[in-house]
Amino acid sequence: MVERIKAALPALPPAEQRVAKLLIADARAFASLPVSELADRAHVSKPTVVRFCRSVGYDGLADFKLKLAGSVNEGVPFVHRSVDEDDKPGDLIVKVVDNAVAALLHYRNDATSHAFDRAIVALTEAARSGKRIEFYGVGNSGIVAQDAQHKFFRLGVNTAACSDGHVQLMSATMLKPGDCAVIISNSGRSRDLLDAAEIARKKGATTIIITASGSPLAALAQSPGQVLLAVDHPEDFDRYSPMVSRLLHLIAIDILTTGVALQLGQNLRPMLQEIKRNLRSKRYAS
């Protein structure tokens, strides 16, 4: 969380930068001090402290301090412990599971509820009006896109997943206002996804971008009507296939799916029950 604010520091107004520097200097104290003392120490007004919290993606000071306290007091260190060649299976279990748990806990603290709220509203409106919801990803992120499409089509949504760059460009070109393109990328630097996101934005679709903050793809989500769901984590790409990023992206998709399902309400229940009955009858037919 602190690293994310460090990255956002240059884009903040001067007064909010002073609040950010106060936080970076002592995050633990920031989480416990009242707003009046924070304002005094940063030489700003109390509303400026609240504006800073909102500028970096939180609902306000209370939400920010809650997430910050969880981040600085977290019992599991968010340090990737690379496996060694002589590690026994017991060592691998501890290292791999601890790494995943730490990543999930920190994402819980860093995730911004107002960004998810905007994304869920856009996806729900698209679903209710029969608009298209497209999921784009390449490589490892393409697998997440397929999982997202599988979850959303069970909600009766007009949805598809594309992992081929040429198909993504064609799909984005056919989008219209009211449609949504959910773009998933670990690095945020894929040329194919950058092109698809730009085309989708120009066509008037809402782009919901799940990627690393500070990346070129994240920058495209700063324009009006677009949504950034930032997912930041350290991961050693040289040693093994990315796994933590996939877990975090799957969690983000699961939050979106659950939020949209709740918004669509009771109308979903008969269809989901029928799907379950049909799957059960096929599963036990033999």
Side-chain angles (χ1 to χ4, degrees), residues 80-83 95-96 99-100 233-245:
H80 175 59
R81 296 183 291 175
S82 298
V83 298
K95 290 183 177 182
V96 172
N99 189 46
H233 57 89
E235 188 164 46
D236 184 354
F237 300 104
D238 296 329
R239 294 292 294 272
Y240 54 85
S241 177
M243 183 62 193
V244 171
S245 61

Side-chain angles (χ1 to χ4, degrees), residues 87-104:
D87 278 343
K88 301 296 189 291
D91 300 322
L92 298 179
I93 292 170
V94 172
K95 290 183 177 182
V96 172
V97 172
D98 277 4
N99 189 46
V101 169
L104 292 172

Side-chain angles (χ1 to χ4, degrees), residues 146-254:
Q146 292 174 15
D147 180 79
Q149 189 270 342
H150 181 264
K151 285 182 167 69
F152 268 77
F153 99 96
R154 294 182 65 187
L155 305 181
V157 175
N158 181 14
T159 182
C162 303
S163 57
D164 179 272
H166 292 85
V167 176
Q168 288 167 359
L169 294 183
M170 290 187 286
S171 171
T173 303
M174 291 186 286
L175 293 175
K176 297 180 176 62
D179 293 332
C180 291
V182 181
I183 301 170
I184 307 156
S185 174
N186 187 23
S187 68
R189 299 179 182 278
S190 166
R191 184 72 261 170
D192 288 341
L193 293 176
L194 284 164
D195 291 342
E198 183 63 21
I199 292 170
R201 184 187 65 81
K202 288 180 178 178
K203 300 300 289 188
T206 298
T207 58
I208 298 166
I209 298 177
I210 303 174
T211 192
S213 61
S215 66
L217 193 55
L220 291 180
Q222 303 304 317
S223 55
Q226 316 309 310
V227 183
L228 171 64
L229 301 179
V231 177
D232 297 302
H233 57 89
E235 188 164 46
D236 184 354
F237 300 104
D238 296 329
R239 294 292 294 272
Y240 54 85
S241 177
M243 183 62 193
V244 171
S245 61
R246 187 187 302 182
L247 287 174
L248 296 178
H249 291 165
L250 288 170
I251 286 290
I253 292 297
D254 215 30

